[in-house]
Amino acid sequence: MPVKNRFAELLPEITAWRRDLHENPEILFDTHRTSKIVAEKLRAFGCDEVVEAIGRTGVVGVINGKSDSRGKVIGLRADMDALPIHEQTGKDYASKTDGAMHACGHDGHTAMLLGAAKYLSETRNFDGKVVVIFQPAEEGGGGGKEMCDDGMMDRWNIQEVYGMHNWPGQPVGSFSIRPGAFFAATDQFDITLEGRGGHAAKPHEVVDTTLMAAHLVTALQSIVSRNADPVKQIVVSVTSFETSSKAFNVIPQRVHIKGTVRTMSTDQRDLAETRMREITDGVCATFGGTAEFVYHRGYPVMVNHDEQTDFAADVARAVSGACEDAPLIMGGEDFAFMLEERPGAYILVGNGDSAPVHHPEYDFTDEAIPAGCSWWAEIVERRMPAA
């Protein structure tokens, strides 16, 4: 079945929702306006249950099918939060909040799942229950984990869970997916190097933390080039380098560097953390300094389950006529926490020739809405067909 006609009819309405959300972005868990709008719409659609404040500001809606005698319960998840970026799209509906914008398309994800919820509430052409999940704080806050920690999966007996993300550079409304590891684990490191500061004209009297840090930044790249299996994916990026001195003639007492590590497997994740500690200690010993090393494990690897991935791809082919193989993606996605608790799959829907996500000129492409909504609806109707 191609894109459902109902979503073509609803496109102007869903687009209006999306653009209103775009104008009013909210960051991390501060999605109070967005969450309120979502809850109000779900109640207006006739959802059988709407619960707020799951995972702080998350919203859950339950839609019963014609019969729930089979006991199947499927979760559908969209993220709601924006990014701390100053928008530069020039759109009529550009962000009204300085320093915040929907630069990753979560406004589109929320609008598409709302459209699917409206349709499913109208038709109820399935047996079982649908749990629509609107999640805050995907962009680094771990809102998916907080919703799971609040007992969401057990409370509604969710048996499978599905997610979707728009993808720039992929034809509008097309789909791509892959089984197994898909999005990377996202870890952060924070290293403070301590030496002995002093006058820049007397380097022999100091322990030069700038020199130490420069060697450390270079040495950390040996993890990728000389420690990791070359056929396995790993990225080590130093993203900040700050000294305790702002003067031209002072060698600083300390230097602070931080960054991120991206991996696609537990063994590579463990390797990266272990070698980073060893290299840091070794560089400090070489130059006579010390270090405070902090390694924070963030989102785990997001792993699609094989059976659900095959099913999700079949649905995508039914909606758009094709479903391509997606590449491995070194970005993170906290839907990983939900996939650790329940089998499911995550798919990409094309956003066309747009700016990349997390870019100040990015905008979600509204023409992708009918395909995205149709995929959500078909997941439900095909996985839980009405008797």
Side-chain angles (χ1 to χ4, degrees), residues 15 19-20 27 54 86 93 95 119 133 176 178 189 193 202 204 241 275 294 310 330-331 346 356 359:
T15 297
R19 295 185 178 187
D20 174 71
I27 294 172
I54 302 295
H86 180 73
Y93 50 84
S95 171
Y119 167 85
I133 302 163
S176 63
R178 67 180 299 118
F189 60 88
L193 301 174
K202 298 180 179 182
H204 59 290
F241 188 118
R275 287 298 294 141
V294 177
D310 288 344
M330 299 309 288
Y346 193 76
H359 189 281

Side-chain angles (χ1 to χ4, degrees), residues 189 191 193 210-228 234-238 241 257 261 271-272 274-287 293:
F189 60 88
I191 306 171
L193 301 174
T210 305
L211 178 64
M212 192 187 315
H215 277 267
L216 179 57
V217 170
T218 301
L220 290 176
Q221 297 310 312
S222 68
I223 298 171
V224 176
S225 65
R226 287 298 177 266
N227 299 138
I234 181 169
V235 176
V236 177
S237 294
V238 175
F241 188 118
I257 67 174
V261 177
L271 169 70
T274 298
R275 287 298 294 141
M276 287 191 77
R277 290 183 185 277
E278 293 170 346
I279 289 169
T280 299
D281 289 343
V283 169
C284 287
T286 299
F287 292 97
F293 181 93

Side-chain angles (χ1 to χ4, degrees), residues 114-170:
L114 282 173
K118 180 169 185 173
Y119 167 85
L120 292 167
S121 297
E122 289 175 353
T123 58
R124 302 188 185 251
N125 188 32
F126 60 94
D127 285 346
K129 292 179 183 291
V130 178
V131 179
V132 287
I133 302 163
F134 294 86
Q135 179 208 306
E138 192 281 323
E139 296 290 358
K145 184 177 188 301
E146 296 227 9
M147 294 189 83
C148 289
D149 288 348
D150 261 1
M152 176 182 69
M153 295 297 185
D154 291 335
R155 179 171 176 176
W156 285 284
N157 191 32
I158 296 171
Q159 296 167 352
E160 295 180 356
V161 64
Y162 295 87
M164 182 186 346
H165 202 294
N166 77 93
W167 207 246
Q170 184 174 306

